[in-house]
Amino acid sequence: MTDLRTAFPSVSSRLVTTPRLSAQVFERPADDATAAVATVVFVHGNVSSSLFFLPLMSSLPAGVRALAIDLRGFGGSETLPVDATRGLRDFSDDIASVLDELDLGPVHLVGWSMGAGVVMQLLLDRADLVASLTLESPVSPYGFGGTRLDGSPLTPDAAGTGGGGANPDFVARLGSGDRTEDEGTSPRAVYRSSYVAPGFTSEYEDLWVESMLTTATGPGNYPGDSVASESWPGFAAGSSGVLNTMAHTNFDVSGIVDMPSKPLIVWIRGELDAIVGDASYFDLNMLGKAGIIPGWPGEDVAPPQQMIAQTRAVLDRYAAEGGSYRELSLEGCGHSPHLERPDAFRAALLEVIGASVSER
């Protein structure tokens, strides 16, 4: 196991207790807190924790204050049930409570994967806390699965999305703390096949696996419940747990288009992203189309979700309504640009926050 104090000596962690939860917060302070150029707050994605951000936080210029907050049920934060009927609001309200407790004011938010949905929801609900958004490999503004390009639902009950779509063996291996690489459903194998592009290696892989293993499994957490559906593939999103938060019946942040104040948004993605894409094999409709799940009713009824196209369409509308966004697409990169292309990611982030400091 990586010794965090040795590997990342500039980063410390603590528990921050708010009226909502006790959250683990990692911080790499600015060299002079009173003269910090900017404060950046990182929000991780599903089946991960803030540990994934420690190398990037450590590499930021000394004038930037960097924090990362573990979501409920991940990392070192309190395990609390997730009410999926609120979409990602349990998570975004938790983040807001930590920012309020620390009295940070507007911050530059970086959200990765599901975390990007969390920060978009935070923009909708607490725009006063948002100086800018960096969306890394973001979940579509219309959620994960079950929608057409314009965001309209394929079925009223979000059939084929939510907790019922999780691989039960992967969930069991998370719960048992599996650190092996022998099976394709082990967390380590899933990291290698889905979190990063083929061939990517890191000296911190063991740390990333430990991060994944902090995921709380069970009722109310990962993956969540499901209900029977008359539509293919026979189940629909439930009302609790992590994966159900991103079902379109519970989650839609396309309303950022109508925000009166629109901070700059930067969208960073890898062209080899295995999780978020226009033909993602994490989308059950894509698995049906490929013949991996039998009985697929066809393209007219159950087309794969066009996640990239949806995000671009919403951000184009955001720009047309007075906002501004930039897209950085990285060739040969997977779901984790901040790990796989740290120099490009850091440069884009510093451009966003306008940090006029030199690297040290």
Side-chain angles (χ1 to χ4, degrees):
M1 177 63 181
T2 302
D3 185 331
L4 300 184
R5 291 172 297 180
T6 300
F8 311 106
S10 63
V11 180
S12 61
S13 68
R14 55 180 163 142
L15 280 180
V16 174
T17 300
T18 81
R20 292 185 56 82
L21 83 166
S22 291
Q24 178 165 260
V25 178
F26 288 88
E27 180 171 1
R28 201 300 306 273
D31 55 355
D32 181 353
T34 63
V37 173
T39 297
V40 182
V41 174
F42 295 90
V43 181
H44 65 84
N46 192 18
V47 191
S48 66
S49 74
S50 296
L51 293 178
F52 272 89
F53 288 121
L54 298 192
L56 179 62
M57 292 171 64
S58 299
S59 74
L60 290 174
V64 176
R65 183 184 185 190
L67 299 97
I69 303 170
D70 284 340
L71 299 174
R72 64 170 61 192
F74 298 93
S77 287
E78 187 175 1
T79 296
L80 296 171
V82 177
D83 179 358
T85 66
R86 305 186 70 234
L88 288 169
R89 277 193 171 95
D90 272 359
F91 295 128
S92 61
D93 285 352
D94 290 347
I95 296 294
S97 73
V98 173
L99 300 182
D100 285 339
E101 185 68 27
L102 297 178
D103 194 23
L104 294 180
V107 297
H108 299 276
L109 285 159
V110 179
W112 174 35
S113 194
M114 182 182 77
V118 173
V119 300
M120 285 190 278
Q121 187 66 63
L122 188 62
L123 173 61
L124 279 172
D125 296 338
R126 291 290 307 274
D128 59 302
L129 295 176
V130 183
S132 73
L133 290 184
T134 297
L135 308 178
E136 179 187 9
S137 309
V139 61
S140 164
Y142 299 113
F144 201 97
T147 56
R148 300 187 187 276
L149 177 58
D150 64 359
S152 58
L154 300 178
T155 65
D157 61 354
T161 73
N167 184 303
D169 193 55
F170 173 62
V171 177
R173 290 175 183 275
L174 282 175
S176 68
D178 183 359
R179 294 168 176 81
T180 69
E181 58 184 78
D182 299 331
E183 299 294 335
T185 52
S186 74
R188 188 180 300 274
V190 170
Y191 159 78
R192 290 177 179 174
S193 65
S194 304
Y195 284 40
V196 294
F200 175 78
T201 60
S202 169
E203 64 181 302
Y204 299 120
E205 181 177 294
D206 287 348
L207 183 62
W208 309 151
V209 173
E210 293 301 323
S211 175
M212 296 170 71
L213 292 174
T214 66
T215 302
T217 59
N221 294 108
Y222 183 82
D225 62 347
S226 66
V227 298
S229 174
E230 296 182 357
S231 301
W232 185 88
F235 70 87
S239 61
S240 67
V242 176
L243 292 186
N244 294 313
T245 64
M246 293 174 282
H248 69 76
T249 46
N250 299 322
F251 176 77
D252 181 346
V253 291
S254 62
I256 61 173
V257 168
D258 302 315
M259 295 288 294
S261 177
K262 295 182 172 69
L264 173 64
I265 294 177
V266 171
W267 173 23
I268 305 175
R269 64 184 185 87
E271 294 185 0
L272 298 182
D273 192 333
I275 298 175
V276 175
D278 286 346
S280 169
Y281 280 86
F282 281 73
D283 179 356
L284 265 68
N285 287 348
M286 185 64 204
L287 293 178
K289 181 177 181 178
I292 298 171
I293 299 179
W296 181 61
E299 194 85 34
D300 291 341
V301 176
Q305 183 187 15
Q306 298 179 63
M307 305 176 194
I308 301 298
Q310 286 180 336
T311 296
R312 185 173 293 113
V314 169
L315 292 181
D316 282 347
R317 289 168 49 206
Y318 185 86
E321 293 297 322
S324 177
Y325 87 92
R326 306 168 188 166
E327 178 182 351
L328 176 61
S329 178
L330 298 171
E331 185 177 354
C333 182
H335 189 63
S336 309
H338 71 284
L339 301 183
E340 302 169 73
R341 299 288 190 277
D343 293 344
F345 192 96
R346 182 173 56 251
L349 177 59
L350 292 178
E351 185 177 353
V352 173
I353 66 178
S356 56
V357 293
S358 59
E359 304 252 18
R360 297 184 184 177

